[in-house]
Amino acid sequence: MNRPWRALLFVQPIALFLGGCIVSSRGPDGGVTAAAPATAVPPLRSVAGARAIGAAVEAQRLREPAFARVLASNFNSLTPENDMKWINVEPTPGTFSFRAGDALVAFAEHNGMRVRGHNLVWHTQLAPWVAGLSGEALRAAMIRHVGNVVAHWKGKIRQWDVVNEAFADGAGGELRHDSPFTALGAGFIADAFRAAHEADPAALLFYNDYEIEGLGTPKAEAVYQMAQRLKAAGVPIGGVGFQMHVDPRHWPDPQSIRQNLERFAALGLAVELTEMDVPVGEIPGDKTQKLEAQKRLTHDIVAVCVAVPACSGVTFWGLTDRYSWLNDPEWGQLRGRGPHRPLPFDADYVAKPMAAGIAAALAGN
Ligand code: G3I
């Protein structure tokens, strides 16, 4: 590991001393300082109990002391936002690049955090050379990719998103039309899970998707039936990830989300909220009212996970409003007008009311 990565491993003790998040004053680096708090939010990981509270992270952000400190003091789980995706770990056929992922895993190990690997088989951020493959050549490349990547982090990654977003949006419930893997037939999903299990039998293997959070959508039904079939066929699927990229304009209510999680759990699967964010751009009111509404919405959804024993973790798709995929206009428009401020800590790493809502829900309040 190069020097810059190693230096960041020793941030944690300082963060622990600061403990929790001060809602009011800011330090020179915009991070947390030991001033008299307005409303203290406990470190999220300190009230999570056995449940995972996670954040999506890019290795480059670990260079920022405030980012590393808030990450290590509040979260007991991390998910690589982009660094373990195919385009980054196997940019050319059979040549693997694990440096950024290794840095994330090292940081996690040093700070007592688990790692959710994300992701192995997905139609986006595929290395360009994959697009030229089809049939048996594509299937072989997929299995080699899964095998090598999982083997590299064997015993270090607790959960893997093995297959991500394989089903089409909309009414059909069929596999996506814009994925090269669809041409292999639905069997590619079981093939990917078997290859991952062979490489690390101890890792819990997930199918991960969005807009499957509530009951009644064709996509949620299709994923449920897929999970039933895989379980019945003895395929080593261990869990389902519900991304929870909330759209406050229209979202399933907590009861529908709970019943949905419970039916997947009844199949003997773990369930997790894997990519949560709650944009406020389209929430009515001024900033204070938007952030209070965000707090309530976030609280109620996290409370659903706390109420479902098989729901083993909640991960946010980032930690600070400073860095979110929704800050990119191309993506942000999916959630209407910005600014979206979708995450628990503001751009200065100060805990928002949303963080207080998360802490209360994790504590069962
Ligand atoms: O790495 C290149 C960099 O070299 C280049 O200079 C820069 C400018 O074009 O682009 C960089 O790649 C970007 C990459 O993020 C890393 O920052 C891609 O353009 C950009 O499209 C990519 O966006 C990611 C997106 O997935 C891709 O679909 C987001 O950061 C990431 O948050 C998002 O995450 C997905 C989950 O994996 C799956 N579920 C939905 C979620 C949100 O879309």
Side-chain angles (χ1 to χ4, degrees):
M1 192 187 289
N2 303 338
R3 169 125 188 76
W5 303 111
R6 200 168 38 249
L8 289 162
L9 294 180
F10 301 102
V11 166
Q12 211 252 357
I14 305 168
L16 267 183
F17 162 71
L18 280 171
C21 303
I22 311 302
V23 170
S24 65
S25 59
R26 302 183 189 138
D29 63 357
V32 186
T33 57
T39 52
V41 180
L44 299 178
R45 67 185 288 172
S46 73
V47 289
R51 193 164 272 105
I53 178 70
V57 179
E58 289 196 292
Q60 60 176 319
R61 305 298 177 212
L62 300 178
R63 296 192 188 105
E64 290 179 40
F67 187 101
R69 184 169 47 242
V70 171
L71 174 64
S73 59
N74 285 280
F75 298 94
N76 59 20
S77 176
L78 71 78
T79 302
E81 183 175 358
N82 289 300
D83 294 314
M84 288 186 182
K85 291 173 177 171
W86 195 318
I87 193 168
N88 295 319
V89 291
E90 192 182 1
T92 55
T95 305
F96 292 86
S97 162
F98 296 120
R99 198 173 66 82
D102 285 344
L104 288 168
V105 169
F107 182 92
E109 285 177 342
H110 188 79
N111 291 290
M113 303 166 75
R114 74 166 195 183
V115 178
R116 295 198 78 252
H118 177 86
N119 59 55
L120 296 166
V121 179
W122 188 33
H123 65 286
T124 297
Q125 289 179 291
L126 269 180
W129 61 270
V130 180
L133 303 178
S134 61
E136 192 42 42
L138 175 60
R139 186 174 168 280
M142 178 189 80
I143 290 175
R144 178 186 63 190
H145 178 79
V146 170
N148 279 277
V149 174
V150 174
H152 175 77
W153 283 300
K154 183 176 182 177
K156 293 177 180 288
I157 289 191
R158 192 87 54 73
Q159 301 182 350
W160 271 105
D161 291 335
V162 176
V163 176
N164 192 50
E165 303 175 11
F167 285 84
D169 299 343
E174 75 280 14
L175 293 175
R176 312 185 67 101
H177 310 297
D178 57 354
S179 169
F181 302 106
T182 296
L184 298 176
F188 85 87
I189 297 174
D191 293 342
F193 275 90
R194 291 195 178 102
H197 184 67
E198 196 179 318
D200 186 354
L204 195 64
L205 306 177
F206 277 66
Y207 175 82
N208 191 51
D209 214 330
Y210 64 91
E211 282 169 17
I212 61 167
E213 289 85 359
L215 287 175
T217 64
K219 198 171 167 181
E221 295 318 306
V223 171
Y224 181 71
Q225 287 155 23
M226 172 205 72
Q228 276 183 315
R229 282 195 307 275
L230 293 177
K231 287 292 288 182
V235 174
I237 181 172
V240 170
F242 301 81
Q243 293 183 8
M244 208 57 77
H245 290 290
V246 174
D247 185 338
R249 294 171 295 185
H250 46 79
W251 204 247
D253 63 44
Q255 190 54 24
S256 170
I257 296 171
R258 179 172 180 167
Q259 290 170 346
N260 194 34
L261 294 186
E262 286 172 340
R263 67 170 177 160
F264 279 87
L267 296 176
L269 294 168
V271 293
E272 295 221 353
L273 313 186
T274 55
E275 304 187 15
M276 188 164 177
D277 44 27
V278 183
V280 303
E282 292 287 346
I283 294 180
D286 63 21
K287 183 180 173 187
T288 303
Q289 291 164 322
K290 285 173 182 282
L291 296 185
E292 276 308 311
Q294 181 185 50
K295 173 184 178 179
R296 287 192 302 276
L297 197 47
T298 306
H299 170 275
D300 295 353
I301 293 173
V302 174
V304 167
C305 180
V306 172
V308 176
C311 187
S312 48
V314 179
T315 292
F316 288 86
W317 208 238
L319 59 91
T320 166
D321 293 338
R322 181 182 291 222
Y323 303 122
S324 165
W325 70 296
L326 292 170
N327 293 348
D328 177 333
E330 180 207 344
W331 300 114
Q333 62 176 328
L334 293 173
R335 293 291 179 263
R337 288 160 303 162
H340 288 310
R341 301 188 175 95
L343 293 164
F345 296 86
D346 73 13
D348 296 319
Y349 297 100
V350 173
K352 294 160 57 181
M354 181 181 183
I358 298 165
L362 289 172
N365 302 327

